Protein backbone atom coordinates (compact mmCIF):
# COMPACT_ATOMS: atom_id res chain seq x y z
CA UNK A 1 0.00 0.00 0.00
CA UNK A 2 1.40 3.38 -1.00
CA UNK A 3 -0.01 6.73 0.10
CA UNK A 4 1.63 9.92 -1.09
CA UNK A 5 0.61 13.55 -0.54
CA UNK A 6 2.90 15.65 -2.69
CA UNK A 7 3.31 18.77 -4.82
CA UNK A 8 4.79 16.88 -7.73
CA UNK A 9 2.93 15.30 -10.63
CA UNK A 10 2.75 11.51 -11.00
CA UNK A 11 2.78 8.93 -13.80
CA UNK A 12 -0.54 7.03 -13.99
CA UNK A 13 0.83 4.27 -16.21
CA UNK A 14 3.86 3.64 -14.02
CA UNK A 15 1.69 3.48 -10.90
CA UNK A 16 -0.74 1.03 -12.55
CA UNK A 17 2.13 -1.23 -13.51
CA UNK A 18 3.76 -1.00 -10.09
CA UNK A 19 0.79 -2.44 -8.14
CA UNK A 20 0.77 -5.61 -10.23
CA UNK A 21 4.46 -6.08 -10.95
CA UNK A 22 5.70 -9.59 -10.28
CA UNK A 23 2.47 -10.74 -8.62
CA UNK A 24 0.57 -13.41 -10.60
CA UNK A 25 -2.35 -13.23 -8.15
CA UNK A 26 -3.33 -9.83 -9.58
CA UNK A 27 -6.00 -10.29 -12.25
CA UNK A 28 -7.39 -6.77 -12.27
CA UNK A 29 -6.09 -3.23 -11.85
CA UNK A 30 -8.63 -0.40 -11.60
CA UNK A 31 -7.55 3.24 -11.57
CA UNK A 32 -9.18 6.63 -11.15
CA UNK A 33 -7.48 9.93 -11.95
CA UNK A 34 -8.99 13.30 -11.04
CA UNK A 35 -8.01 16.37 -13.10
CA UNK A 36 -8.41 20.14 -12.78
CA UNK A 37 -11.17 21.48 -15.04
CA UNK A 38 -11.16 24.98 -16.52
CA UNK A 39 -14.70 25.72 -15.39
CA UNK A 40 -16.64 25.21 -12.15
CA UNK A 41 -20.11 26.52 -11.27
CA UNK A 42 -20.13 28.61 -14.49
CA UNK A 43 -16.89 30.46 -13.69
CA UNK A 44 -13.59 30.11 -15.55
CA UNK A 45 -10.85 28.60 -13.40
CA UNK A 46 -7.33 29.93 -14.02
CA UNK A 47 -5.54 28.09 -11.25
CA UNK A 48 -6.54 25.99 -8.28
CA UNK A 49 -4.68 25.88 -4.97
CA UNK A 50 -5.06 22.81 -2.80
CA UNK A 51 -4.51 23.15 0.94
CA UNK A 52 -4.29 20.15 3.26
CA UNK A 53 -3.68 19.20 6.88
CA UNK A 54 -0.23 17.61 6.93
CA UNK A 55 -0.18 14.50 9.04
CA UNK A 56 -3.93 14.06 9.24
CA UNK A 57 -4.20 13.79 5.46
CA UNK A 58 -1.98 10.71 5.23
CA UNK A 59 -3.63 9.22 8.32
CA UNK A 60 -7.16 9.76 6.94
CA UNK A 61 -6.28 8.18 3.59
CA UNK A 62 -4.61 5.22 5.32
CA UNK A 63 -7.81 4.61 7.31
CA UNK A 64 -9.90 4.71 4.14
CA UNK A 65 -7.59 2.24 2.39
CA UNK A 66 -7.70 -0.04 5.43
CA UNK A 67 -11.50 0.00 5.38
CA UNK A 68 -11.46 -0.90 1.67
CA UNK A 69 -9.13 -3.81 2.41
CA UNK A 70 -11.60 -5.12 4.98
CA UNK A 71 -14.47 -4.99 2.49
CA UNK A 72 -12.83 -6.30 -0.68
CA UNK A 73 -9.93 -8.36 -1.93
CA UNK A 74 -7.27 -5.66 -2.31
CA UNK A 75 -3.84 -7.06 -3.15
CA UNK A 76 -2.19 -3.67 -3.47
CA UNK A 77 -3.30 -0.06 -3.58
CA UNK A 78 -1.75 3.32 -4.36
CA UNK A 79 -3.27 6.70 -3.53
CA UNK A 80 -1.48 9.89 -4.61
CA UNK A 81 -2.98 13.32 -3.95
CA UNK A 82 -1.32 16.58 -4.89
CA UNK A 83 -1.40 19.92 -3.07
CA UNK A 84 -0.22 23.43 -3.95
CA UNK A 85 -1.04 25.37 -7.10
CA UNK A 86 -2.45 23.47 -10.08
CA UNK A 87 -3.68 24.50 -13.53
CA UNK A 88 -6.52 23.18 -15.70
CA UNK A 89 -5.65 19.74 -17.16
CA UNK A 90 -3.23 19.02 -14.28
CA UNK A 91 -3.69 15.75 -12.41
CA UNK A 92 -4.94 16.11 -8.82
CA UNK A 93 -5.47 12.61 -7.50
CA UNK A 94 -4.82 8.99 -8.45
CA UNK A 95 -6.28 5.84 -6.91
CA UNK A 96 -5.04 2.48 -8.17
CA UNK A 97 -6.32 -0.85 -6.84
CA UNK A 98 -4.94 -4.27 -7.71
CA UNK A 99 -7.15 -7.24 -7.02
CA UNK A 100 -7.84 -10.79 -8.12
CA UNK A 101 -10.95 -9.81 -10.08
CA UNK A 102 -12.46 -6.67 -11.58
CA UNK A 103 -15.46 -6.46 -9.22
CA UNK A 104 -13.29 -5.93 -6.16
CA UNK A 105 -10.91 -3.61 -8.01
CA UNK A 106 -13.70 -1.36 -9.35
CA UNK A 107 -15.60 -1.27 -6.06
CA UNK A 108 -12.59 -0.59 -3.85
CA UNK A 109 -11.35 2.14 -6.20
CA UNK A 110 -14.73 3.90 -6.22
CA UNK A 111 -15.15 3.49 -2.47
CA UNK A 112 -11.72 5.00 -1.76
CA UNK A 113 -12.51 8.02 -3.97
CA UNK A 114 -15.96 8.54 -2.43
CA UNK A 115 -14.56 8.42 1.10
CA UNK A 116 -11.55 10.56 0.21
CA UNK A 117 -13.93 13.25 -1.09
CA UNK A 118 -15.70 13.52 2.27
CA UNK A 119 -13.04 12.50 4.84
CA UNK A 120 -9.57 13.50 3.68
CA UNK A 121 -8.68 17.05 4.78
CA UNK A 122 -8.10 18.85 1.49
CA UNK A 123 -9.61 22.18 0.44
CA UNK A 124 -9.66 23.73 -3.02
CA UNK A 125 -9.38 27.43 -3.70
CA UNK A 126 -10.04 28.59 -7.25
CA UNK A 127 -8.67 31.70 -8.90
CA UNK A 128 -11.26 33.01 -11.37
CA UNK A 129 -11.46 36.29 -13.34
CA UNK A 130 -13.83 37.53 -10.59
CA UNK A 131 -11.30 36.75 -7.84
CA UNK A 132 -10.38 33.85 -5.59
CA UNK A 133 -13.00 31.65 -3.95
CA UNK A 134 -13.03 28.52 -1.82
CA UNK A 135 -14.85 25.60 -3.41
CA UNK A 136 -18.00 24.64 -1.51
CA UNK A 137 -18.51 21.02 -0.51
CA UNK A 138 -21.25 19.28 -2.50
CA UNK A 139 -24.04 17.34 -0.84
CA UNK A 140 -23.74 14.85 -3.72
CA UNK A 141 -20.33 13.86 -2.35
CA UNK A 142 -21.88 13.01 1.02
CA UNK A 143 -24.57 11.00 -0.76
CA UNK A 144 -21.93 9.12 -2.76
CA UNK A 145 -20.04 8.20 0.41
CA UNK A 146 -23.22 7.30 2.32
CA UNK A 147 -24.38 4.75 -0.24
CA UNK A 148 -21.51 2.48 0.84
CA UNK A 149 -23.05 2.34 4.32
CA UNK A 150 -26.29 0.83 3.06
CA UNK A 151 -24.58 -2.38 2.06
CA UNK A 152 -26.19 -2.18 -1.38
CA UNK A 153 -22.84 -2.08 -3.17
CA UNK A 154 -20.64 -3.95 -0.77
CA UNK A 155 -20.64 -7.20 -2.66
CA UNK A 156 -18.37 -7.58 -5.61
CA UNK A 157 -19.38 -8.93 -8.97
CA UNK A 158 -18.97 -12.75 -8.81
CA UNK B 1 -5.90 23.10 30.44
CA UNK B 2 -3.84 23.87 27.37
CA UNK B 3 -4.65 22.55 23.91
CA UNK B 4 -3.35 23.25 20.42
CA UNK B 5 -6.00 24.54 18.04
CA UNK B 6 -5.63 24.58 14.24
CA UNK B 7 -7.75 26.28 11.58
CA UNK B 8 -7.78 25.52 7.87
CA UNK B 9 -8.87 26.93 4.53
CA UNK B 10 -11.70 29.53 4.51
CA UNK B 11 -12.00 29.31 8.29
CA UNK B 12 -8.28 30.05 8.74
CA UNK B 13 -8.60 33.11 6.50
CA UNK B 14 -11.74 34.22 8.34
CA UNK B 15 -10.21 34.19 11.84
CA UNK B 16 -6.72 35.14 10.61
CA UNK B 17 -5.00 32.41 12.61
CA UNK B 18 -3.59 29.06 11.45
CA UNK B 19 -2.54 27.65 14.80
CA UNK B 20 -2.53 28.70 18.45
CA UNK B 21 -2.17 27.36 21.96
CA UNK B 22 -5.37 27.96 23.92
CA UNK B 23 -5.63 27.87 27.71
CA UNK B 24 -9.15 26.71 28.48
CA UNK B 25 -11.33 27.20 31.52
CA UNK B 26 -11.93 23.96 33.44
CA UNK B 27 -15.45 23.30 32.19
CA UNK B 28 -14.45 23.33 28.51
CA UNK B 29 -14.41 19.60 28.00
CA UNK B 30 -15.70 18.92 24.48
CA UNK B 31 -15.03 20.12 20.95
CA UNK B 32 -18.43 21.86 20.95
CA UNK B 33 -17.56 23.67 24.19
CA UNK B 34 -14.22 24.77 22.73
CA UNK B 35 -16.04 26.09 19.66
CA UNK B 36 -18.42 28.08 21.88
CA UNK B 37 -15.49 29.38 23.92
CA UNK B 38 -13.68 30.62 20.79
CA UNK B 39 -16.90 32.05 19.32
CA UNK B 40 -17.20 34.12 22.49
CA UNK B 41 -14.13 36.14 21.51
CA UNK B 42 -16.31 38.37 19.32
CA UNK B 43 -15.67 39.85 15.87
CA UNK B 44 -14.51 37.42 13.18
CA UNK B 45 -14.39 34.59 15.73
CA UNK B 46 -18.07 34.90 16.46
CA UNK B 47 -19.13 34.96 12.81
CA UNK B 48 -16.68 32.25 11.68
CA UNK B 49 -17.65 29.81 14.44
CA UNK B 50 -21.37 30.65 14.69
CA UNK B 51 -23.52 27.56 15.21
CA UNK B 52 -25.13 27.87 11.78
CA UNK B 53 -21.72 27.52 10.09
CA UNK B 54 -21.19 23.99 8.83
CA UNK B 55 -17.82 22.89 10.21
CA UNK B 56 -15.85 19.70 10.66
CA UNK B 57 -13.65 18.78 13.62
CA UNK B 58 -10.61 16.63 14.23
CA UNK B 59 -9.03 15.64 17.54
CA UNK B 60 -5.46 14.37 17.27
CA UNK B 61 -5.92 14.08 13.50
CA UNK B 62 -9.09 11.96 13.52
CA UNK B 63 -12.46 13.31 12.32
CA UNK B 64 -14.81 13.44 15.30
CA UNK B 65 -18.34 14.60 16.18
CA UNK B 66 -18.64 17.83 18.22
CA UNK B 67 -19.55 16.01 21.46
CA UNK B 68 -16.07 14.44 21.57
CA UNK B 69 -14.15 14.99 24.81
CA UNK B 70 -10.88 16.92 24.73
CA UNK B 71 -7.90 16.62 27.05
CA UNK B 72 -4.85 18.69 27.89
CA UNK B 73 -2.28 18.50 25.11
CA UNK B 74 -4.78 17.53 22.41
CA UNK B 75 -4.46 18.88 18.87
CA UNK B 76 -7.92 20.09 17.85
CA UNK B 77 -8.63 21.23 14.30
CA UNK B 78 -11.59 23.21 12.97
CA UNK B 79 -12.25 23.35 9.24
CA UNK B 80 -14.95 23.64 6.56
CA UNK B 81 -16.30 20.47 4.89
CA UNK B 82 -13.49 19.03 2.79
CA UNK B 83 -13.28 19.46 -1.00
CA UNK B 84 -10.37 17.31 -2.19
CA UNK B 85 -10.28 14.63 -4.86
Amino acid sequence: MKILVQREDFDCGAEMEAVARGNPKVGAVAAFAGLVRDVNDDAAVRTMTLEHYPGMTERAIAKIVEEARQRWNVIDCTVIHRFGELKPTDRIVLVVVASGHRGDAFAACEFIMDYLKTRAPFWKKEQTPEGARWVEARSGDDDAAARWDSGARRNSIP
Amino acid sequence: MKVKVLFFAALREHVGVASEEVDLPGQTSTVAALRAHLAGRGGAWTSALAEKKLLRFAVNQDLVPPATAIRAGDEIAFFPPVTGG
Side-chain angles (χ1 to χ4, degrees), chain A residues 42-44 46 127-133:
Chain A
D42 301 325
R46 286 177 176 158
Q127 283 76 38
T128 73
E130 290 75 41
R133 62 177 190 185

Side-chain angles (χ1 to χ4, degrees), chain B residues 56-85:
Chain B
R56 299 282 185 262
F57 319 97
V59 172
N60 299 326
Q61 306 191 348
D62 280 323
L63 274 181
V64 295
T68 302
I70 55 176
R71 293 175 186 81
D74 279 351
E75 176 177 299
I76 300 139
F78 291 79
F79 44 80
V82 302
T83 56

